[in-house]
Amino acid sequence: MAKRFPSSYVIRQLKPVDAPLLRNFRLEALASDPDSFSSTVSREEPYPMAIWEERTARTAVAFELATSPDSGPGDEPPLQEHPVGMVGYYWPEQGETPLAHLVGLWVHPTHRGKGLGTALVEWVV
């Protein structure tokens, strides 16, 4: 289910079919802010698609809503095709303290300072 946080964004859980999108966006993030990650483009670029498909189960991304003059009242606004933020997380095994573990957060530089990072964290918890 997509949730809305800052009014111009939608955050949604990825699905295995989104693996190419996740791969491209993650590699963009690693290249843009290499000091923000414990991994590198050269390490992750060769990962097989099966790894990216598995990662979709624990990654949510934010999309900016597109402005469309063709949208009418009550229409679901279309999304931009390119994500603008992502959060990686996992939930502990059954029987452990039920707290989400955040393992990564990145917001595209042009979308920082708009509350999107906070919204991504709130989406997980």
Side-chain angles (χ1 to χ4, degrees):
M1 168 190 265
K3 291 186 179 181
R4 294 180 195 274
F5 285 93
S7 62
S8 59
Y9 298 98
V10 171
I11 299 172
R12 73 170 176 85
Q13 175 66 48
L14 293 181
K15 300 173 186 170
V17 70
D18 297 315
L21 177 142
L22 174 59
R23 179 186 184 275
N24 291 339
F25 193 53
R26 169 78 177 176
L27 295 176
E28 177 185 346
L30 291 169
S32 173
D33 292 301
D35 294 336
S36 297
F37 298 93
S38 61
S39 192
T40 63
V41 172
S42 62
R43 177 177 177 220
E44 295 193 16
E45 194 168 33
Y47 285 175
M49 197 53 64
I51 296 290
W52 298 104
E53 290 169 356
E54 191 275 328
R55 283 182 166 192
T56 63
R58 50 188 165 77
T59 304
V61 297
F63 293 89
E64 185 174 23
L65 295 173
T67 55
S68 172
D70 299 328
S71 296
D75 288 347
E76 182 69 20
L79 303 177
Q80 296 286 349
E81 293 182 20
H82 190 74
V84 296
M86 67 181 158
V87 63
Y89 63 92
Y90 70 92
W91 289 94
E93 298 295 321
Q94 191 172 17
E96 294 181 23
T97 304
L99 298 174
H101 297 267
L102 297 181
V103 295
L105 174 69
W106 188 74
V107 174
H108 191 278
T110 61
H111 292 270
R112 293 178 185 164
K114 300 177 182 181
L116 191 52
T118 299
L120 285 160
V121 171
E122 288 176 355
W123 187 92
V124 172
V125 297

